[in-house]
Every structure is written in C-alpha cells, then in structure tokens.
Amino acid sequence: MKVDSRLVLLAVLAAGVIALGWTWLTSEDPEEVTLETEAALETTTTSSASTTVAVEEQDAAAVTTATTAPATTVPATTTTTVAPTTTTTFPTPEVLGEVHPRLVDIDGWLQSEVETLEELRGKVVVVEFWTFGCYNCKNRIPYTQEMYAKYRDQGLEIVGIHSPEFKYEEDVDNIKKALVDLGVTWPVVLDTRRRTFWEWQAGGTAYWPRTYVLDREGRVRFDHIGEGKYGELDQTVAFLLAEEM
C-alpha cells in the first residue's frame, strides 16, 4: 500500500507539539522548558525528515520493481520443410512396329543432308508430325528443341514431318519463315499432299502433333498423340541410346 509522506510528516509534528505542551505545563523552570522545546523540535524535524526519505525510498523501490519486471521471452520455433523427392520410372519401351512406315510422295527436305529415314539407321530418331499453324504443335517445340540439344551428340536425330492442315501452310517460304520464328533447327520433311501423314496415321483420323520414336534398327518404340508425356519421351530416348543394336 502506498503511504502519503505529507500525512506522515503532519502526524509526527502534531505528536511533537503535544509532547512539548505537556512538558511546559509540568515544568517549573521556563528556561529549561525552552531548551527542551528546542531540542524536541530539532528531534521531531529530524525524525520527520528521515520518515519522509524512508517513505519516498519505499515508493521509488515499488516503482522500480514494477517497471523492471523481466520480460517473458518465447523461444522462436523453426520449421524445416523437406520437399519430397520423387522419381518416375516408365516401363521399358516395347517394340510397336518392326518396320516404320514409308515416306510417300514428299516434296523434299529442309535443313537436312539426308533424303530418307533409312539413311539415319543406327541413330535413335524422333519423328514428329506437325504443321506450323497448329497451336499444340508449337507448344511442343521448346521441349523438342531442349531434347535435341541434350542428346544430339549421343546419337539422336529428330525429323519433323510438316503436313499442312490449311492452304497457307503449304507455301515453302511460309514454312521456312516459321522454322526461324519458332526456333526449329532439326531436319524437316515437306509432306505437302499429306501422303506420308496418312501412311503413318491410318484409320481416317488426323492428329497434329503426333510423335514416334524409332530405335537404332528403325523399329517404332514410342507413339504419342498431342502434347505431354515429355518425361516418358525423354526416358525412352535415353534408354534407346544406351541400348545395343
């Protein structure tokens, strides 16, 4: 409980005055009373001063105690998240065709020193049917280009068979411009009349893009319609490159 120092001082002074009055009334010597009064006043003043200091020190100590209470420290919690590591393994690529289909009535090659698929025997060959105006075909190109850069020195070749869907895609100048604009650097077969397109995609349904992989002996080991399956395609190519003839 906090004590008001002014009330303590008044109480001490009142007690001193009462004591002095009593002494004066019971003493026969006025001079002695005077001396005793002065001594009592001095004692009272000293006592009240000491009391005031003690009370102030007590108050100060209470304030200090209240303001210097140690803060509670909550230890930091560190959470470590470990990303799961997953490895997808695809089945060994089966032989889907002992002999790949022919190139029929083509109008030549672009960006190539060969004129037949047979000349590429001994290499792993990705054959991709596409046309430069096809949205899905264009989406595949960055992945195909990346794979070409990754495996070309190990024996991979890519052949893009350009089979136009619309009239403007038949123009050779338009095709050449598209090869530059789209970043196509591999050999391209000009299948203007789509004879090769139907030779490979029998059944009356047209697919752009469609991707095949031929092993070193020319056998079909992978067949996929549309976008996607990039991981499986990459693993198939890597497997066939490591496979002995």
Side-chain angles (χ1 to χ4, degrees), residues 187-209:
V188 172
V189 174
L190 299 176
D191 181 32
T192 307
R193 290 174 292 277
R194 296 206 298 260
R195 301 290 179 80
T196 296
F197 182 87
W198 290 117
E199 181 76 12
W200 287 62
Q201 302 194 72
T205 304
Y207 297 107
W208 290 272

Side-chain angles (χ1 to χ4, degrees), residues 82-138:
V82 180
T85 301
T86 58
T87 301
T88 302
T89 302
F90 299 101
T92 301
E94 299 179 358
V95 176
L96 304 178
E98 288 292 340
V99 180
H100 64 75
R102 303 171 300 153
L103 300 182
V104 181
D105 285 340
I106 62 172
D107 295 316
W109 292 62
L110 298 176
Q111 304 181 157
S112 176
E113 297 178 357
V114 303
E115 296 181 353
T116 66
L117 289 177
E118 284 69 27
E119 293 179 60
L120 298 174
R121 195 64 56 85
K123 290 179 175 288
V124 174
V125 182
V126 173
V127 177
E128 188 160 285
F129 284 86
W130 72 297
T131 182
F132 71 79
C134 167
Y135 177 82
N136 301 101
C137 298
K138 290 188 285 189

Side-chain angles (χ1 to χ4, degrees), residues 229-243:
K229 284 199 173 182
Y230 301 116
E232 184 173 350
L233 174 60
D234 185 279
Q235 186 168 308
T236 298
V237 168
F239 178 87
L240 296 179
L241 286 172
E243 188 179 49

Side-chain angles (χ1 to χ4, degrees), residues 5-150:
S5 59
R6 292 173 296 179
L7 294 177
V8 174
L9 178 59
L10 290 174
V12 172
L13 290 175
V17 170
I18 293 172
L20 290 175
W22 177 258
T23 302
W24 185 80
L25 290 174
T26 57
S27 175
E28 297 179 356
D29 187 353
E31 183 177 354
E32 182 180 349
V33 171
T34 301
L35 292 176
E36 289 179 357
T37 300
E38 292 177 353
L41 286 174
E42 183 177 354
T43 301
T44 301
T45 302
T46 301
S47 175
S48 64
S50 299
T51 303
T52 301
V53 171
V55 172
E56 290 177 351
E57 287 178 352
Q58 181 179 0
D59 291 344
V63 172
T64 301
T65 301
T67 57
T68 58
T72 302
T73 302
V74 178
T77 302
T78 302
T79 303
T80 303
T81 303
V82 180
T85 301
T86 58
T87 301
T88 302
T89 302
F90 299 101
T92 301
E94 299 179 358
V95 176
L96 304 178
E98 288 292 340
V99 180
H100 64 75
R102 303 171 300 153
L103 300 182
V104 181
D105 285 340
I106 62 172
D107 295 316
W109 292 62
L110 298 176
Q111 304 181 157
S112 176
E113 297 178 357
V114 303
E115 296 181 353
T116 66
L117 289 177
E118 284 69 27
E119 293 179 60
L120 298 174
R121 195 64 56 85
K123 290 179 175 288
V124 174
V125 182
V126 173
V127 177
E128 188 160 285
F129 284 86
W130 72 297
T131 182
F132 71 79
C134 167
Y135 177 82
N136 301 101
C137 298
K138 290 188 285 189
N139 286 346
R140 286 196 69 92
I141 289 174
Y143 298 96
T144 307
Q145 182 64 58
E146 181 180 352
M147 183 174 58
Y148 196 41
K150 181 179 180 181

